[in-house]
Amino acid sequence: MESFSMMICLPLLCYIIFCLWKLFFRNRENSCYMLHYECYKGAEDRKLDTESCAKIVLRNKNLGLEQYRFLLQTISNSGIGEETYGPKNVIEGQEQSPSLEDALSEVDDIMFNTLDKLFERTGVSPSEIDILVVNVSLFSPQPSLTARVVNRYKMREDIKAFNLAGMGCSASVVALDLVWQLFKSHKKALALVVSTESMGPNWYRGKEKSMILSNCLFRSGGCSMLLTNNEALKHRAILKLSHVVRTHLGANDEAYGCCIQLEDDLGYAGFLLTRNLTRNAAKALSMNLKVLMPKVLPLRELLRYIFTSLGRKRSSVAGLNFKAGIEHFCIHPGGKAVIDGIGKSLKLTDYDLEPARMALHRFGNTSSGGLWYVLGYMEAKKRLKKGDRILMISLGAGFKCNNCVWEVVRDLNDLNVWKDSIDHYPSQEGPANSFLEKYGWINDEQLMSFVQFP
């Protein structure tokens, strides 16, 4: 048995050493530094408190008692608070007839608000930008949103511009990976990544429960980031990108269809979230982390994992201690179930999950921009110290799991988008929020016998 174990472990050990050696030299040749990032914060008249949410729900004449009860349970247990931001056309009651102007106005507000602040904060001129990547999943106008940014800021004719559509909630990491690859052939470059979403025109107006769910979770938000591979600017950096691993299960029909945009039987377009989502998310995450683990975990943890996996038909990342190589976990705030599921898989503590839970509570699921609200929470709470490593975990339609690891290059304590609310967090608000308190009567069978629904 001992000789058998050695036969298994020696090749694996050699492979791990080779990977570490290869990564060491690759990272020396291809640096990617984060100079600054700016998250979007909506105006006060865009907040979706309990009363606003109730008005929007009651405007949908396709809903009946069964759907009302489903929405009551979903919203009250969603982990989302009273201060998230909604699209302007939905707030104003125009979700039944969204226009192209509604979509452009919503995205413009997010993109230009964050970019203006980014340029002002860093002192970088738009004319200095060499690479521009804009990602938005549910909106693809002509000209592209990338062209819209170039036109607004009068950027150079030789700028390398890319527009990513349909990449889901993990598109930010896709965009980061694209920039990192471009940095191999563009030296001393400055790159912008803009992660946004168009929620207003895609507000679901039907009655299918699996599609109503997206209305409960998704909110307006986004982020703009400034990156460079110029070593002369690394003293201004806040983070350094160490690793990116992307996993795509689109070849599997179940994974492909578990999170998909389509029309219901009445012709209403929406985003379908099926019961298979959790299983495929777990599978994609596990596959991704198996590739990532030799790059971030110390040798002793890898050897422990190898020995404990001997004799098993199928290895699992559940036995790994990622905290041996990672200090902070920046989890996509896609929903309470997503955060709790990842936390359980990686055996994370409430302290580890707090940033994602609080970002979901304060800002909701802001699609590809969500990771940066979580990062902002960590920074505002002064958790991020020089040398710390941050694992960003993102999941998205396709089905995809895209993860990356950052190294903190100096102590961070910017209050950023959390400036006005960080003192109120972590919130102790339980799952029975004010929505349940005000509308719990929907579950009262006797009372509901006197109420008529459309």
Side-chain angles (χ1 to χ4, degrees):
M1 182 64 185
E2 184 177 350
S3 60
F4 174 75
S5 298
M6 290 298 293
M7 290 174 62
I8 296 293
C9 292
L10 278 175
L12 285 172
L13 180 59
C14 293
Y15 173 72
I16 291 169
I17 294 173
F18 171 74
C19 287
L20 293 174
W21 175 84
K22 184 178 179 181
L23 286 166
F24 174 75
F25 283 101
R26 186 187 74 175
N27 287 339
R28 289 185 64 184
E29 296 171 357
N30 185 30
S31 298
C32 179
Y33 296 99
M34 170 81 72
L35 296 181
H36 190 57
Y37 66 99
E38 284 285 348
C39 290
Y40 172 80
K41 183 179 179 182
E44 289 297 308
D45 60 1
R46 298 269 303 281
K47 282 188 176 179
L48 280 175
D49 56 14
T50 298
E51 296 300 329
S52 300
C53 290
K55 289 178 181 178
I56 294 170
V57 169
L58 294 172
R59 282 202 302 258
N60 187 347
K61 302 306 180 184
N62 293 306
L63 304 183
L65 178 57
E66 182 182 356
Q67 287 79 24
Y68 285 131
R69 286 177 172 166
F70 172 77
L71 282 167
L72 172 66
Q73 180 182 13
T74 301
I75 296 175
S76 62
N77 293 319
S78 66
I80 293 179
E82 296 278 291
E83 296 186 306
T84 60
Y85 302 101
K88 183 178 180 181
N89 71 306
V90 175
I91 297 290
E92 295 178 349
Q94 303 299 319
E95 68 271 15
Q96 293 291 337
S97 55
S99 66
L100 176 61
E101 183 57 35
D102 289 332
L104 289 172
S105 175
E106 179 185 0
V107 173
D108 281 353
D109 188 32
I110 296 171
M111 293 196 306
F112 301 147
N113 178 292
T114 55
L115 285 171
D116 286 349
K117 292 178 180 177
L118 191 68
F119 289 132
E120 180 182 3
R121 180 72 177 268
T122 62
V124 171
S125 168
S127 62
E128 298 179 73
I129 302 301
D130 303 289
I131 299 168
L132 171 64
V133 182
V134 176
N135 68 261
V136 58
S137 289
L138 301 176
F139 185 44
S140 185
Q142 305 297 325
S144 68
L145 295 177
T146 306
R148 203 167 177 86
V149 173
V150 171
N151 178 261
R152 162 70 179 258
Y153 294 102
K154 310 304 177 188
M155 293 176 166
R156 301 198 316 261
E157 291 83 356
D158 63 344
I159 191 170
K160 303 298 182 290
F162 302 85
N163 196 91
L164 305 180
M167 301 301 287
C169 295
S170 64
S172 271
V173 180
V174 177
L176 286 171
D177 187 40
L178 174 59
V179 168
W180 202 13
Q181 299 305 319
L182 290 169
F183 276 169
K184 293 179 180 179
S185 56
H186 296 80
K187 307 303 180 183
K188 298 182 179 180
L190 286 170
L192 279 180
V193 170
V194 183
S195 291
T196 182
E197 193 53 272
S198 176
M199 299 304 305
N202 296 285
W203 196 266
Y204 179 60
R205 306 184 301 280
K207 63 179 182 180
E208 295 298 324
K209 292 180 182 178
S210 296
M211 299 172 76
I212 293 174
L213 190 60
S214 62
N215 288 358
C216 299
L217 296 175
F218 286 95
R219 296 292 186 267
S220 295
C223 181
S224 291
M225 297 146 263
L226 180 62
L227 306 154
T228 188
N229 61 346
N230 189 345
E231 293 289 331
L233 296 177
K234 70 178 183 179
H235 67 283
R236 296 175 54 186
I238 59 174
L239 302 170
K240 181 180 180 180
L241 188 60
S242 300
H243 312 287
V244 177
V245 175
R246 293 169 56 186
T247 303
H248 204 304
L249 303 184
N252 179 282
D253 291 341
E254 181 184 279
Y256 175 80
C258 72
C259 183
I260 190 169
Q261 187 180 22
L262 45 73
E263 291 183 348
D264 65 14
D265 294 339
L266 298 176
Y268 292 106
F271 212 70
L272 176 68
L273 305 175
T274 74
R275 294 181 181 274
N276 298 325
L277 176 61
T278 303
R279 177 168 62 250
N280 287 284
K283 182 179 179 181
L285 176 62
S286 180
M287 293 174 66
N288 188 287
L289 293 180
K290 285 179 182 178
V291 177
L292 186 62
M293 66 180 184
K295 304 177 182 182
V296 299
L297 293 181
L299 184 58
R300 67 180 184 277
E301 177 61 24
L302 293 172
L303 291 175
R304 186 193 66 79
Y305 174 72
I306 292 170
F307 282 115
T308 56
S309 298
L310 290 176
R312 295 182 185 174
K313 292 183 179 180
R314 185 178 298 176
S315 61
S316 170
V317 296
L320 281 169
N321 177 22
F322 268 89
K323 297 178 75 170
I326 298 292
E327 283 76 30
H328 309 282
F329 296 83
C330 186
I331 302 169
H332 167 59
K336 187 176 182 294
V338 172
I339 298 170
D340 292 347
I342 293 175
K344 183 178 180 180
S345 296
L346 300 183
K347 297 181 179 178
L348 302 181
T349 65
D350 287 340
Y351 177 85
D352 299 320
L353 299 178
E354 180 185 306
R357 287 171 172 166
M358 296 306 106
L360 177 66
H361 184 273
R362 176 62 181 85
F363 295 99
N365 181 349
T366 55
S367 189
S368 61
L371 286 170
W372 308 99
Y373 292 94
V374 181
L375 180 70
Y377 183 89
M378 296 177 181
E379 186 175 0
K381 284 294 185 181
K382 301 180 182 180
R383 292 188 178 194
L384 304 180
K385 306 299 181 184
K386 183 178 180 180
D388 286 357
R389 288 150 297 184
I390 306 165
L391 172 57
M392 281 190 167
I393 299 176
S394 66
L395 302 164
F399 190 84
K400 299 183 290 293
C401 177
N402 299 317
N403 299 342
C404 65
V405 177
W406 295 93
E407 178 185 346
V408 182
V409 297
R410 58 184 170 89
D411 292 353
L412 302 179
N413 56 15
D414 191 345
L415 296 178
N416 54 77
V417 74
W418 289 90
K419 181 179 179 180
D420 298 329
S421 55
I422 195 63
D423 291 339
H424 305 301
Y425 286 89
S427 171
Q428 300 302 317
E429 182 178 340
N433 62 15
S434 56
F435 198 89
L436 182 60
E437 294 172 4
K438 293 183 179 181
Y439 295 95
W441 49 265
I442 290 176
N443 288 326
D444 189 321
E445 294 289 347
Q446 292 185 333
L447 182 61
M448 293 311 298
S449 63
F450 295 99
V451 181
Q452 293 185 348
F453 287 90

